[in-house]
Amino acid sequence: QFVERLPIPELTADQESRLADYAEQITGLAQSRYRFHTETAHRISADLGENGKLNNALDEWWTLDFATFRDQVKKAFKRDIPLKERGEWEAYLTDARSKHDQLTGKIVTLETGLNEVVYTAFGLTPEERNLIEQATKYPYGAV
């Protein structure tokens, strides 16, 4: 009964097309980022933990600097990264975080465009847009 009272604007063909395009691109990038997260977590588990289970911190490997990553490897797998592999792992994680950040940046850019189409369709003022942005902020990079 309450949904009936929501003011849903009629979209132009251009707005519908743009929303569909944004949604498709965002979904594709989010799926790519998820696959990348999963592949990287599998590599961490397989190479460092002999396929052991990652702890919560290692599940979010992109949030860790290398020193913290090593500490979490020790906690989760009860072993350190071998000295001869540390440089390779540090470089691998730096590259992986960079790829994560690039994917996230593209998602954020597309979400901003999608939001703009919706705000325009609803005829929102700058103040209303700002209120929504502040109320719905979440940490980008979250899966």
Side-chain angles (χ1 to χ4, degrees), residues 44-45 48-49 52-54 58 73-79:
I44 293 166
S45 174
L48 298 174
K53 184 163 172 40
L54 301 182
L58 289 174
V73 166
K74 291 176 197 175
K75 280 184 184 179
F77 305 131
K78 308 296 185 236
R79 63 183 287 252

Side-chain angles (χ1 to χ4, degrees), residues 31-102:
Q31 289 171 338
S32 294
R33 188 177 68 176
Y34 178 78
R35 278 191 304 275
F36 179 65
H37 285 177
T38 302
E39 291 164 2
T40 303
H42 175 74
R43 178 166 182 203
I44 293 166
S45 174
D47 291 3
L48 298 174
E50 299 172 356
N51 289 314
K53 184 163 172 40
L54 301 182
N55 62 18
N56 290 339
L58 289 174
D59 270 336
E60 296 182 1
W61 53 265
W62 61 92
T63 65
L64 306 175
D65 61 31
F66 187 67
T68 306
F69 176 79
R70 273 186 65 202
D71 288 343
Q72 292 302 321
V73 166
K74 291 176 197 175
K75 280 184 184 179
F77 305 131
K78 308 296 185 236
R79 63 183 287 252
D80 197 358
I81 300 170
L83 180 60
K84 66 181 181 175
E85 297 176 17
R86 288 181 194 157
E88 292 172 29
W89 270 101
E90 188 168 13
Y92 174 77
L93 287 172
T94 298
D95 290 345
R97 274 192 305 274
S98 177
K99 183 174 179 178
H100 162 86
D101 291 346
Q102 289 172 0

Side-chain angles (χ1 to χ4, degrees), residues 73-142:
V73 166
K74 291 176 197 175
K75 280 184 184 179
F77 305 131
K78 308 296 185 236
R79 63 183 287 252
D80 197 358
I81 300 170
L83 180 60
K84 66 181 181 175
E85 297 176 17
R86 288 181 194 157
E88 292 172 29
W89 270 101
E90 188 168 13
Y92 174 77
L93 287 172
T94 298
D95 290 345
R97 274 192 305 274
S98 177
K99 183 174 179 178
H100 162 86
D101 291 346
Q102 289 172 0
L103 288 168
T104 299
K106 290 176 182 178
I107 291 168
V108 169
T109 298
L110 291 168
E111 286 178 344
T112 300
L114 183 141
N115 290 346
E116 183 59 35
V117 173
V118 171
Y119 296 159
T120 300
F122 276 90
L124 298 181
T125 66
E127 294 79 19
E128 291 167 327
R129 293 171 186 219
N130 187 47
L131 180 64
I132 291 170
E133 293 291 328
Q134 295 305 313
T136 60
K137 272 194 170 179
Y138 66 93
Y140 283 104

